[in-house]
Amino acid sequence: MKVDISKEIEYQTARSGGKGGQNVNKVETMVEGYWLVRASSLVTEAQKELVYRHLANRINRDGYLMGRSQTERSQLGNKALVREKMNDWVSRALQPKKARIATKAPKGVTEKRLESKKITASRKTSRRNIRLTDI
C-alpha cells in the first residue's frame, strides 16, 4: 500500500560531517525528517500499529519516525532523499506479508534421501571391526 506522508514530515537541518572543505563548515546541508506517527491523519489506527511494529528501531521515545540524509551537497537534495526514504519505509511496513504455502516434498526426493542414508549406513557398518560373536 502506497501512502505519501510528505505533508506531515517536519524537517530540521544541521551541518554535515565528513569531507567538503570550507563549505561543510558554513552550510547546513544535512537534513533530518521527523514524522509523528500517532498524530498522523493519513493512516488508520491499524496501520499505525503496523508502522510501530515494523519500524520500532527507527521510532524514538517521543513517537517520531526519524530519517536522515547527508549524502547530497545541497539541502534540497537531502530533503528529497529523506522524504523518499521515509515514504518507502512506511509503504513497506504497510505491505501485507505473503502467506507461505506449505508444500509436500516430492516422492523422488524422499526416496533419494532414504537411499543415501542406506548407503551411508552400509559404509559405516563395513568399517566396523569384526567381532567373533558376529561370525
Side-chain angles (χ1 to χ4, degrees), residues 74-88:
S74 71
Q75 202 177 89
L76 278 174
N78 283 326
K79 200 178 225 183
L81 281 175
V82 167
R83 191 179 317 116
E84 192 178 306
K85 260 189 214 179
M86 292 175 77
N87 277 320
D88 187 47

Side-chain angles (χ1 to χ4, degrees), residues 90-127:
V90 172
S91 295
R92 281 189 185 171
L94 298 178
Q95 197 80 34
K97 300 290 179 250
K98 272 189 181 177
R100 184 186 175 279
I101 301 168
T103 57
K104 192 177 174 186
K107 246 183 197 176
V109 172
T110 308
E111 288 171 4
K112 192 175 179 183
R113 182 178 54 82
L114 292 174
E115 189 60 38
S116 71
K117 283 177 78 171
K118 284 178 188 172
I119 292 169
T120 306
S122 67
R123 189 181 299 136
K124 289 186 174 193
T125 53
S126 69
R127 288 182 191 152

Side-chain angles (χ1 to χ4, degrees), residues 5-133:
I5 60 165
S6 303
K7 299 171 203 143
E8 294 185 351
I9 298 176
E10 299 166 18
Y11 299 99
Q12 250 184 7
T13 60
R15 290 193 199 129
S16 292
K19 297 175 187 173
Q22 293 172 345
N23 192 52
V24 97
N25 296 327
K26 59 185 180 181
V27 181
E28 293 194 345
T29 54
M30 182 184 75
V31 176
E32 289 180 337
Y34 298 95
W35 179 54
L36 186 58
V37 181
R38 69 175 166 265
S40 177
S41 59
L42 298 173
V43 291
T44 63
E45 290 301 317
Q47 291 173 329
K48 287 176 189 177
E49 286 300 317
L50 283 172
V51 169
Y52 274 114
R53 193 174 329 129
H54 289 281
L55 301 173
N57 58 335
R58 298 186 189 275
I59 296 175
N60 64 15
R61 281 190 214 117
D62 302 326
Y64 284 95
L65 175 68
M66 194 180 103
R68 170 190 294 184
S69 178
Q70 59 182 10
T71 55
E72 295 292 317
R73 285 180 57 101
S74 71
Q75 202 177 89
L76 278 174
N78 283 326
K79 200 178 225 183
L81 281 175
V82 167
R83 191 179 317 116
E84 192 178 306
K85 260 189 214 179
M86 292 175 77
N87 277 320
D88 187 47
W89 292 340
V90 172
S91 295
R92 281 189 185 171
L94 298 178
Q95 197 80 34
K97 300 290 179 250
K98 272 189 181 177
R100 184 186 175 279
I101 301 168
T103 57
K104 192 177 174 186
K107 246 183 197 176
V109 172
T110 308
E111 288 171 4
K112 192 175 179 183
R113 182 178 54 82
L114 292 174
E115 189 60 38
S116 71
K117 283 177 78 171
K118 284 178 188 172
I119 292 169
T120 306
S122 67
R123 189 181 299 136
K124 289 186 174 193
T125 53
S126 69
R127 288 182 191 152
R128 277 195 252 159
N129 292 334
I130 300 171
R131 285 178 264 155
L132 293 174
T133 55

